[in-house]
Amino acid sequence: MNRNSTSRSITYTSSPLLASKTPPWRSRFIVAAIALGFLALAARAAYVQVINNDFFLRQGQVRFARTLPLPANRGRIFDRNGLLLASSVIAPSIWAIPEDVELDDPDVREKVKRIAALLGMPLPALQKKLSEDKTFVWVQRQVDEPVVKEIMALGVKGIYQRKEYKRQYPEGESAAHVVGFTNVEDHGQEGIELAFQNELSGKPGSRRVIKDRFGRVVEDVGEQVPPVDGQDLQLSVDSKIQFFAYQKLRDAVIANKAKAGSVVVIDTRTGELLALANYPSYVPDKRQNLTGEQLRNRALTDTFEPGSTMKPITAAIALQLGRVTPNTLIDTSPGRYTVTGSTITDTHNYGVLSVEGVIQKSSNVGATKISQRLSAQEMWDTYTVLGFGQKPQLQFPGAVTGRVRPWKTWKPIEQATMSYGYGLSASLFQMARSYTVFAHDGQIIPATILKSDLPASGTQVFTPKIAAEIRKMLQLAAGPGGTGQLAQTAGYTVGGKSGTARKQVGRNYAAGKYRAWFTGMAPIENPRIIVAVMVDEPSAGSYYGGTVAGPVFSEVVSQSLRLMGVQPDKDVKPMIVAKPVEESF
């Protein structure tokens, strides 16, 4: 069979449409349509990728580009001797993409149960977290590193970690009100952590990356901005003095069944705050059950009428203005005195006292009669220079102003009561700082919470001679026949003034509620420290400042001066302390 006959025998189709001849324009149309389609796709690609690509770039960045923060190391806090008060340690946080956690898988469910146990969370609480949001949820912040390692070793898809830091406070509750604490975001909330937030926090850096849908970093894009670590701070506080002051204060509050208490210790040469303790206190890095009573920095935030601790200031004003001398006689008989219809009383009839005797015996009548030789403006001017009614210039949050009303509004009875510490209010810190005027040769000096090696320079209020005369009166007040005999310290001469103030509730004074004070200095000839003690509502029997706050003053002075290397200035002799004289308040 030849080729021609074979080809003629093949029938391609019997359809008349296929058998008909195709018009040439149809094939051209199909080719043109395909070409136009390619041109449209090319134009769209050019529009998306070249002409108007901003929108699509933004959408891509929203879905896959991330800016990862690079946390800065928070600065450390040291005491004056270089001992650590606060530092940061690595504490990663656990987070999740809930939609990626395959809870339908029995193996994953067991691992999630294990994660809950490691984190100390009830399993239902963890399951609830994983159902709150599909794309992101914090599982737990600031977890210990060993726990995080165990969790990540389980390899649960959708569970991740982020590097973070948390603060540790080695001195615990003794220094809590000084150092303060930070929140979970590492921002200062109280104390030095809050006051120096900007200096301590530093500046976080950043890293721009592309992530896939599983949260894994694919690549870095752009430049990395490195973090700038926070500054370290060295405080004026001596952690050993701070601990001892806190310990003795706590013991006194408990022994006297008191509500609370505070201690302030100031270096008289530099104005440095060596200790600031309050009880009750708290542990800064364990605040689960923290209450307002524990949190309050009472030495700076609470104000109260200072009582008899104001009498030396009244005497100093009169001495400075030449209205009296230390030996000027004041008749306090018969132990009471009426001013514009109101009667001022002493606990005893002390008869005729010198100005020194008025301070030694703590006579309200004597202080009133001294104040009557002064004008209201003269008293107010000195109070103001000493910091009463003024905002303390201390780098510390929460320090309150106290209250001293304008002198033009004073009535005679108000001027009288202010002379012995009623009708005005001050914080324990303000009271301690005001006594630097006697310890620093008549100068009131600024206080600081940061370490300073330079001698302080302040405002001259009294002459050095008058400051020395008041120190002698304070020594008498803390000695035999005075109201503060229990403030005596073995090895060191001391001087100070006790105070017992009734607590004011509303507009009236509460029955049976007192605050006991003692403010003084040592060694008396050349003072190195001022110690102020306050015990709030002692209820174990005695409530006088000399008997409640005086012993705390004695112990804190003794230990502080020894730690500072101050040589004793008197022989240590066995002695029997007579019963203290009850003070007027």
Side-chain angles (χ1 to χ4, degrees):
M1 183 179 295
N2 60 38
R3 179 181 292 178
N4 292 335
S5 62
T6 302
S7 61
R8 282 196 299 268
S9 66
I10 297 173
T11 304
Y12 289 96
T13 180
S14 59
S15 171
L17 291 173
L18 295 176
S20 64
K21 188 177 181 181
T22 303
W25 64 266
R26 184 180 294 175
S27 59
R28 293 191 187 100
F29 174 78
I30 293 172
V31 172
I34 294 172
L36 285 172
F38 275 110
L39 286 173
L41 290 173
R44 179 62 176 169
Y47 178 78
V48 168
Q49 298 184 39
V50 180
I51 299 172
N52 189 26
N53 64 344
D54 291 345
F55 171 78
F56 297 99
L57 285 173
R58 284 196 301 271
Q59 293 303 307
Q61 289 174 348
V62 167
R63 288 166 172 76
F64 300 107
R66 296 286 185 272
T67 299
L68 300 181
L70 299 175
N73 247 332
R74 192 172 178 86
R76 296 168 296 177
I77 302 174
F78 297 95
D79 84 337
R80 65 183 300 103
N81 300 312
L83 296 177
L84 199 62
L85 297 177
S87 64
S88 295
V89 296
I90 295 175
S93 292
I94 302 297
W95 63 280
I97 302 176
E99 64 180 354
D100 292 342
V101 181
E102 300 171 348
L103 292 175
D104 294 336
D105 186 333
D107 183 51
V108 172
R109 285 201 301 271
E110 283 301 313
K111 290 181 178 179
V112 168
K113 186 177 180 181
R114 173 63 179 157
I115 291 172
L118 287 169
L119 294 175
M121 294 175 63
L123 181 59
L126 177 56
Q127 291 171 335
K128 182 180 179 182
K129 278 182 176 288
L130 295 176
S131 65
E132 288 175 353
D133 190 295
K134 290 185 178 181
T135 58
F136 176 87
V137 67
W138 286 113
V139 176
Q140 193 170 107
R141 305 289 296 273
Q142 296 184 346
V143 182
D144 292 337
E145 266 199 297
V147 174
V148 172
K149 287 180 180 179
E150 284 193 60
I151 291 173
M152 300 315 296
L154 294 173
V156 177
K157 179 183 174 184
I159 301 292
Y160 306 99
Q161 65 166 312
R162 174 182 168 182
K163 184 180 179 181
E164 290 189 318
Y165 297 92
K166 72 175 180 180
R167 297 292 264 179
Q168 285 189 337
Y169 303 96
E171 292 301 311
E173 61 185 11
S174 68
H177 291 103
V178 173
V179 180
F181 57 86
T182 62
N183 63 9
V184 72
E185 301 294 343
D186 219 18
H187 294 156
Q189 301 296 294
E190 291 288 340
I192 291 298
E193 295 279 29
L194 174 59
F196 293 90
Q197 165 65 20
N198 292 336
E199 292 84 352
L200 289 166
S201 63
K203 188 177 180 181
S206 61
R207 174 190 176 198
R208 192 72 174 166
V209 300
I210 299 295
K211 284 189 172 185
D212 63 15
R213 67 180 297 272
F214 300 111
R216 297 173 299 197
V217 174
V218 176
E219 65 174 317
D220 289 291
V221 292
E223 293 185 3
Q224 178 173 306
V225 179
V228 178
D229 290 341
Q231 302 173 25
D232 291 341
L233 285 180
Q234 187 164 25
L235 304 186
S236 61
V237 170
D238 186 314
S239 59
K240 293 180 181 178
I241 296 176
Q242 175 75 26
F243 177 78
F244 188 83
Y246 171 77
Q247 190 179 52
K248 294 305 175 184
L249 174 69
R250 179 194 61 196
D251 294 346
V253 169
I254 294 171
N256 288 281
K257 298 180 181 178
K259 183 178 179 182
S262 301
V263 174
V264 173
V265 182
I266 296 178
D267 188 316
T268 62
R269 295 184 179 178
T270 61
E272 294 172 295
L273 203 62
L274 300 178
L276 188 154
N278 297 278
Y279 184 84
S281 185
Y282 61 94
V283 179
D285 46 7
K286 296 178 182 178
R287 305 186 302 276
Q288 290 83 357
N289 299 312
L290 183 63
T291 65
E293 289 293 301
Q294 295 171 290
L295 187 61
R296 275 166 52 198
N297 189 346
R298 297 167 188 271
L300 287 168
T301 64
D302 288 14
T303 61
F304 14 76
E305 293 174 309
S308 296
T309 50
M310 291 296 292
K311 290 172 183 173
I313 295 174
T314 302
I317 298 170
L319 289 168
Q320 179 71 24
L321 295 173
R323 311 291 163 76
V324 297
T325 69
N327 297 317
T328 298
L329 298 179
I330 308 291
D331 186 2
T332 68
S333 299
R336 57 185 180 275
Y337 185 62
T338 301
V339 178
T340 61
S342 298
T343 301
I344 294 166
T345 61
D346 286 337
T347 55
H348 299 86
N349 178 9
Y350 295 116
V352 177
L353 295 172
S354 65
V355 171
E356 286 183 344
V358 167
I359 302 304
Q360 181 185 27
K361 301 297 184 182
S362 194
S363 169
N364 293 341
V365 173
T368 297
K369 289 191 172 183
I370 293 173
S371 73
Q372 289 180 329
R373 304 186 184 202
L374 307 170
S375 71
Q377 184 174 2
E378 287 168 341
M379 292 177 65
W380 185 90
D381 286 345
T382 304
Y383 288 171
T384 302
V385 173
L386 295 181
F388 296 107
Q390 308 296 308
K391 180 75 173 178
Q393 299 302 306
L394 185 70
Q395 311 100 309
F396 212 90
V400 294
T401 301
R403 181 177 63 89
V404 179
R405 292 192 300 105
W407 63 269
K408 290 182 179 180
T409 66
W410 291 9
K411 298 175 183 178
I413 185 60
E414 291 173 328
Q415 181 175 343
T417 59
M418 285 187 196
S419 72
Y420 57 88
Y422 282 85
L424 73 161
S425 64
S427 67
L428 186 68
F429 167 77
Q430 286 176 308
M431 203 68 237
R433 179 178 174 257
S434 73
Y435 268 48
T436 64
V437 77
F438 305 132
H440 203 80
D441 286 335
Q443 284 188 356
I444 181 74
I445 60 174
T448 179
I449 193 70
L450 299 179
K451 186 178 180 182
S452 173
D453 296 321
L454 300 175
S457 178
T459 303
Q460 197 76 40
V461 183
F462 306 120
T463 65
K465 178 176 180 291
I466 288 174
E469 289 173 346
I470 295 296
R471 289 200 299 271
K472 181 182 176 183
M473 295 181 196
L474 292 173
Q475 186 176 16
L476 290 172
T483 60
Q485 297 174 47
L486 295 182
Q488 288 294 308
T489 301
Y492 299 98
T493 56
V494 300
K497 188 70 190 74
S498 58
T500 308
R502 294 182 186 273
K503 289 190 68 172
Q504 191 171 0
V505 179
R507 295 188 175 183
N508 300 311
Y509 290 102
K513 292 186 176 182
Y514 301 90
R515 284 190 177 95
W517 297 65
F518 195 94
T519 305
M521 61 199 68
I524 199 64
E525 291 298 326
N526 185 21
R528 281 300 314 274
I529 58 171
I530 289 170
V531 177
V533 181
M534 186 277 296
V535 178
D536 188 12
E537 291 190 30
S539 59
S542 178
Y543 52 81
Y544 288 108
T547 55
V548 174
V552 181
F553 169 89
S554 172
E555 292 177 304
V556 173
V557 164
S558 176
Q559 186 70 11
S560 298
L561 292 178
R562 284 180 172 82
L563 287 170
M564 294 170 71
V566 178
Q567 292 297 316
D569 65 336
K570 73 173 185 180
D571 295 332
V572 179
K573 299 177 182 178
M575 62 180 178
I576 299 174
V577 177
K579 181 180 178 182
V581 177
E582 292 180 346
E583 62 191 275
S584 298
F585 52 86

